[in-house]
Amino acid sequence: MRLDDGLSAAGAARTRRAPFRSVEPRPRWRLRRRWIVVYALLVVLSQIVQHTMGPADPEPGARTVTLPATDDEGPLAVERMELAYREWGPGTSVLPSEAADIAADAADEADESDATDAVPIESATAAKAGVPVILLHGAPGDSENFESLAPLLARGAGDGDGEGPPRRVIAPDLPGSGGSTEDVAGYSIRAQAHAVFELMDALAIQRAHVIGWSNGGGVALHMHEEDATRLASLTMLASIGTQENEGSGNYYFEHGKYAVGLALVGYLPEVIPHFGLLGTLDSRAGWLRSFWQTDQRPLEAIMRRVTTPTLILHGRGDILVPVRAARQHHALIRGSRLVVLDANHFLPFLQSEETAAVLRPFLARHDAEGVPPLGGVADLSPQDPRANVTKVAMSIEDRLQRVPWWIEVGAIAAVLLVSPALSVAIVGVLIVGAGLDWGVGAAGLAAGLIAQSAGLTLGGAIAGPGFRTLPVLGSRLPAVSTEDWKRRMARSPFRTGFVGQFARPLRASSAYAAGLAHAGWRAGALFMIGRAVAVLLWVLVSLIAVIAVGAALGESVREELGLLGVGIGLVLMFIAAEAGPSLVTRRGRQHLSARLARTLHHEYWPAWLFYLPLLPTLLWLAARHGGLLTPTCANPTIEAGGGIAGESKHRILAGFRDDRVLRAWLVPGAAAATIDEREALVAAIIREHGLELPVILKPDRGERGHAVKLIREMPQVREYLTAMRGDAVVQVYHPGPEEVGILWTRKTPEETRGTENDRLTGRIRVIVRKEFPVIDGDGKRTLEELIDAHPRFRRQSSVFLSRFADVASLVPAAGERIRLAMSGNHCQGTLFRDGADLITPELERAIDEISTTFDRLDVGRFDVRYESDEALRRGEGFAIVELNGISGEPTNMYDPQRSYVWAFGVLKAHWVRLFELGAVRRREGVKPLTLREVRALTRAHFASLSGDSVAD
């Protein structure tokens, strides 16, 4: 398999266990140790830079005020904090302590002031202004979230229109957010409620309308609990509330999510030398600390005690706080009014005008104290009665809410064992369309993947090679080399575990092989840690991908297209789940590129897809020539309908009377002889016929290079026959080094009468060149890495890596050439190209001479080994390895440089010829096979296949 001698027989005769000169990889630890020191220094410098950075400049339009710091119990006596806020509309916009300075500045600059923009300390408008409004943002968020909504509320709608006067609107950056102090004593919604009261006192606001958006709704509820007299009204805008509607509904599970978030968003960047580009720990994690310190469980009791006029404004398509939560809040708060809009969660800036149109009359109604609440429900986004998909989604959502989170996690993990990508797509559909908590979905996916990896690793360690044959696993696990994986686990177990998760073909096999290698507890632990880290990243990326696809499709698509829309969404999410995580690592991107190429290039398409457009032509030919199975009349002396499937290679080769056809000898299967008898027979054949190693061993009834092996040493014979249960043949090995496929067909009687001077009985219709894959070592990358980096070879990497499983992790020497395939079959990795330039009268005459020695041969594709193109054109220097009957395709149609349209034309012409030749034999009295016979033949053939499907 070494090619440094021009693929000579001597070079090819090297043993399979050492197909190339391997070199030791560069010792990475010294490099790593050096870089670790550099990295540690950069982290220290980054921390120094971050701690010397001053506070960020306030955003344009924001003001700050110094207030007592607060916690759950109220303001602290000693600790102070800066609270930033924005303000819109009429009235006082400064602190009392600043009024004198601003009044003096205003007098000095009176001539330069712009009357339309100035907001004086006292104004005529202020006297007519309504009760101030305080807008409370969610987490993460700040006062900028209200830049669209606040001006609409501040300007009012004019007198006499029923929607209220202009009013002062204030939006603070709650402690730990925006321009406010980042490191504070209390981040919880209760501590933030105390901070808002402190701000109201500083701004001399005694009574205000409080509007809480998202998490800010919890702050507003705690404000009501602390001092309801200071609230003119309470608005829960897409607001949180009861614990049971928060994500999974379980307090402890939700706080587990927040802990993971704090670790990933807060503390993980601290070990990255970002020099402040990612902000500080406090700026990144303030909102997560708010979640962590908040307890939503008391909110249900608080809502039962609310007496202030309350508006609950929610979007029907809210994916963060489901609309069912708003309905429950409405039921808990006596006299509240529920308004449902056709909107998502982000009402303040995506639907600001619609939101303001609902808020303005409500605020105006309750500027005066004692006005009774309006109550009731206003559904401004009624459910379309035809939207059956949405009804089903709501039904599923209701059922999911009643299921404990741990049962949901277990169910998702179980589905994942069938197909990770499918389970991610299903989880995505449930998150987007049925309210499944993303944390529950992520936990289920992570649990399933980690359990799968751990189970496969333990199975490999305990049960050994037999584990891959268990019925529960089926054929998903390929054979792996224990020695090769011992090298991998010894070299870099963490990286092996990590990369295997993102390279789809390695996901299951790497976990199994890690256990099979028995590399020790330390390597096994590092492998599982690497896999666990990869699983968390894989789940995060895949969920982001599928949720993004679901959000892009939107609810309207699902409603308008019904089940078709759901199906389209599921397919797109499946693709996103497959592709998204693959982009994380280089190996993943390589495998994704290979899968995409196999999808786009017709040479890799499955047979049914390739032949589907041919179906109308086949039906037309069947009607013209007496039946769909008329081609099975051709080659009447070849069994199985002229060579559909399962024909004996030994009998076909024995039917030729020409020395240019390589001889083959039959070795009976395990049913007729013991393994010792079969091995002795092979040795006798080699000895008595004067054969020299290497020789070819292959199934007597095979296909597409199945189990074709080059035997270089006699011990390989027993290994081969142990796996090969059926009949096999021993054949002389022809070193080539070149190979072609020659499709020959007999002339029809009409063609023979028209060419009296041409004594040939048939013609060469197609020649396909077979280019064997060869890869060059660089002394740095392993064979596996070289294959995955090659734009073509990675498309069939599973074949090559199965063939070289025992040396895949070795590093070929620089300049070493490795031949990746010996069998001239496309499925085994050989490249097919159209070889029409090789057809000459001399070659046609030679092939015709050989064909006529076989009784009544009509069509056949010869696999031919030869020395050079020049000799082949002269009809010399070649040998025929085998003949394929009517199932032998014109394989030049797999030429990657040709279009599918061209390939389809070649295939169509071939089938026209098959029907014509079959019709000739049918008129002579040959009977075609029946459909039942064809089905029985193909089933029996595929059931009888044994041995390793990967050829040499």
Side-chain angles (χ1 to χ4, degrees), residues 857-879:
L857 181 66
D858 295 318
V859 59
R861 192 192 68 219
F862 296 93
D863 291 338
V864 178
R865 290 266 175 146
Y866 66 100
E867 299 171 0
S868 67
D869 288 355
E870 293 73 18
L872 184 66
R873 290 189 180 100
R874 295 194 304 268
E876 302 169 355
F878 70 88

Side-chain angles (χ1 to χ4, degrees), residues 349-678:
F349 44 87
L350 293 184
Q351 285 87 21
S352 56
E353 292 189 1
E354 296 93 326
T355 302
V358 176
L359 285 171
R360 282 194 297 257
F362 172 76
L363 300 177
R365 178 182 178 87
H366 297 290
D367 275 342
E369 295 185 51
V371 178
L374 187 61
V377 177
D379 192 347
L380 305 182
S381 177
Q383 176 68 48
D384 185 349
R386 298 170 299 175
N388 294 322
V389 171
T390 302
K391 291 181 179 179
V392 172
M394 292 175 64
S395 176
I396 295 174
E397 182 176 353
D398 290 339
R399 286 173 169 81
L400 283 176
Q401 193 181 8
R402 293 194 291 269
V403 177
W405 67 268
W406 53 271
I407 292 181
E408 294 175 339
V409 168
I412 293 168
V415 174
L416 182 136
L417 297 178
V418 178
S419 169
L422 179 61
S423 62
V424 173
I426 293 173
V427 167
V429 169
L430 293 176
I431 290 174
V432 175
L436 177 70
D437 176 55
W438 68 267
V440 170
L445 295 172
L449 286 169
I450 291 175
Q452 182 188 59
S453 296
L456 290 170
T457 302
L458 288 175
I462 297 172
F467 183 71
R468 64 183 290 265
T469 62
L470 292 178
V472 69
L473 296 173
S475 59
R476 287 181 292 170
L477 290 178
V480 296
S481 166
T482 304
E483 292 301 317
D484 185 70
W485 278 88
K486 282 182 178 179
R487 285 193 294 268
R488 296 171 189 251
M489 293 293 288
R491 187 180 300 164
S492 182
F494 181 91
R495 181 175 181 272
T496 299
F498 185 90
V499 172
Q501 175 63 35
F502 292 97
R504 184 174 177 269
L506 292 176
R507 189 175 301 143
S509 62
S510 62
Y512 158 65
L516 192 67
H518 290 286
W521 70 267
R522 179 180 177 277
L526 287 173
F527 176 90
M528 288 307 302
I529 292 172
R531 179 56 58 91
V533 172
V535 162
L536 294 178
L537 185 56
W538 189 93
V539 169
L540 177 64
V541 173
S542 61
L543 273 183
I544 289 174
V546 297
I547 292 174
V549 169
L553 287 175
E555 187 177 1
S556 59
V557 173
R558 298 191 297 273
E559 290 183 353
E560 292 173 8
L561 298 181
L563 290 177
L564 177 60
V566 175
I568 292 173
L570 188 61
V571 170
L572 292 177
M573 286 181 173
F574 179 84
I575 295 172
E578 284 278 16
S582 298
L583 300 175
V584 173
T585 64
R586 180 175 59 186
R587 293 287 297 280
R589 292 190 294 272
Q590 290 169 344
H591 283 282
L592 179 62
S593 171
R595 296 181 68 190
L596 181 62
R598 289 180 64 90
T599 302
L600 297 179
H601 290 264
H602 68 269
E603 62 171 315
Y604 303 105
W605 290 355
W608 67 266
L609 181 59
F610 207 106
Y611 276 81
L612 187 62
L614 188 66
L615 184 59
T617 299
L618 294 177
L619 295 176
W620 176 79
L621 290 170
R624 183 181 179 187
H625 295 290
L628 193 61
L629 295 175
T630 294
T632 62
C633 296
N635 295 344
T637 56
I638 296 179
E639 61 182 325
I644 286 183
E647 66 275 19
S648 169
K649 298 180 183 297
H650 174 257
R651 291 180 187 175
I652 291 175
L653 293 172
F656 287 98
R657 298 179 299 280
D658 194 294
D659 291 339
R660 288 169 288 188
V661 178
L662 295 178
R663 296 185 64 187
W665 294 268
L666 184 66
V667 179
T674 65
I675 183 67
D676 293 332
E677 292 171 339
R678 299 168 75 204

Side-chain angles (χ1 to χ4, degrees), residues 224-225 298 300-308 332-334:
H224 184 280
E225 183 73 0
E300 179 175 350
I302 291 175
M303 284 188 280
R304 294 184 187 276
R305 294 192 291 269
V306 169
T307 57
T308 298
L332 291 170
I333 301 175
R334 293 189 301 273

Side-chain angles (χ1 to χ4, degrees), residues 214-276:
S214 191
N215 222 49
V219 179
L221 286 171
H222 275 292
M223 290 180 67
H224 184 280
E225 183 73 0
E226 294 296 329
D227 191 351
T229 63
R230 301 192 67 177
L231 273 64
S233 72
L234 169 64
T235 298
M236 299 177 68
L237 181 62
S239 170
I240 65 167
T242 56
Q243 177 68 63
E244 64 190 88
N245 287 302
E246 178 69 9
S248 65
N250 182 274
Y251 171 83
Y252 298 101
F253 184 86
E254 292 305 301
H255 275 66
K257 286 162 54 177
Y258 307 148
V260 172
L262 278 169
L264 295 178
V265 178
Y267 297 106
L268 181 61
E270 291 300 285
V271 297
I272 299 174
H274 58 83
F275 296 94

Side-chain angles (χ1 to χ4, degrees), residues 181-226:
T181 301
E182 296 172 349
D183 186 9
V184 294
Y187 293 88
S188 71
I189 55 177
R190 186 176 177 186
Q192 290 172 345
H194 289 299
V196 177
F197 279 132
E198 293 298 312
L199 176 64
M200 290 175 65
D201 291 341
L203 298 180
I205 298 175
Q206 179 59 34
R207 181 170 172 268
H209 299 286
V210 178
I211 300 174
W213 173 50
S214 191
N215 222 49
V219 179
L221 286 171
H222 275 292
M223 290 180 67
H224 184 280
E225 183 73 0
E226 294 296 329

Side-chain angles (χ1 to χ4, degrees), residues 776-836:
D776 296 318
D778 60 7
K780 300 177 182 178
R781 291 176 290 179
T782 65
L783 179 61
E784 183 177 43
E785 290 170 340
L786 289 169
I787 290 172
D788 283 339
H790 195 283
R792 178 175 179 84
F793 297 162
R794 64 185 175 214
R795 301 175 190 175
Q796 293 177 286
S797 62
S798 60
V799 173
F800 298 137
L801 295 177
S802 295
R803 184 175 294 135
F804 289 88
D806 48 356
V807 292
S809 65
L810 293 180
V811 178
E816 181 81 3
R817 308 198 74 205
I818 302 101
R819 180 166 172 169
L820 299 178
M822 282 290 182
S823 175
N825 192 281
H826 187 272
C827 292
Q828 303 297 336
T830 302
L831 171 63
F832 287 175
R833 295 194 186 278
D834 182 50

Side-chain angles (χ1 to χ4, degrees), residues 622 625-634 641 644 886 915 918 922 927-934:
H625 295 290
L628 193 61
L629 295 175
T630 294
T632 62
C633 296
I644 286 183
I886 68 169
F915 270 92
R922 189 167 189 171
K927 292 184 178 180
L929 296 180
T930 65
L931 183 60
R932 178 176 295 179
E933 290 172 329
V934 171

